[in-house]
Amino acid sequence: MLYDVRTYTCSPGKIKKHLALYAEHGYDVQRRHLGEPLAYMQTETGDVNSYMHIWAYADAADRARRRAALQADPEWAQYLARSSEAGYLIAQRNQLMTSVPFFAPQA
């Protein structure tokens, strides 16, 4: 399995507005193409202006295929335009990760 771990940082005081925008315009279209995320979490301590989500793929080709379909979806493009216009995000960090040999992720 290939795990796409994405961490986003919002401008101070804007995370609730950003997550509301995503919930209304982005979440369903993203799930339609990528499937259900393994996790979608907001930071409780530390950098409270950040959140992260994790998506699982069979391999890099599966990820590329699903993400290409997402990027081609006009509804996703509309969400990205809304998000950009709102300007709530200030940073993004993506990591592609695999499990260590001794750990078997739970389905």
Side-chain angles (χ1 to χ4, degrees):
M1 293 292 289
L2 181 66
Y3 300 95
D4 189 351
V5 180
R6 294 173 167 254
T7 304
Y8 296 83
T9 304
C10 296
S11 296
K14 302 296 183 186
I15 193 166
K16 287 182 182 180
K17 289 183 178 184
H18 173 72
L19 290 175
L21 177 73
Y22 174 73
E24 183 176 350
H25 299 286
Y27 188 52
D28 287 339
V29 67
Q30 197 168 31
R31 287 177 28 230
R32 187 165 56 240
H33 295 286
L34 304 184
E36 293 295 325
L38 289 182
Y40 219 107
M41 300 175 281
Q42 182 175 341
T43 304
E44 188 170 319
T45 62
D47 183 359
V48 296
N49 299 303
S50 67
Y51 67 97
M52 60 106 55
H53 43 104
I54 303 171
W55 304 87
Y57 303 98
D59 52 33
D62 179 41
R63 178 182 178 272
R65 180 186 53 76
R66 289 200 232 171
R67 292 204 47 85
L70 175 64
Q71 296 303 320
D73 190 316
E75 200 175 335
W76 182 246
Q78 291 171 356
Y79 163 70
L80 291 178
R82 284 183 174 109
S83 179
S84 179
E85 185 177 301
Y88 301 142
L89 291 175
I90 58 174
Q92 174 181 342
R93 180 177 180 207
N94 299 354
Q95 294 177 285
L96 297 179
M97 304 183 81
T98 58
S99 294
V100 294
F102 58 82
F103 178 76
Q106 296 184 18

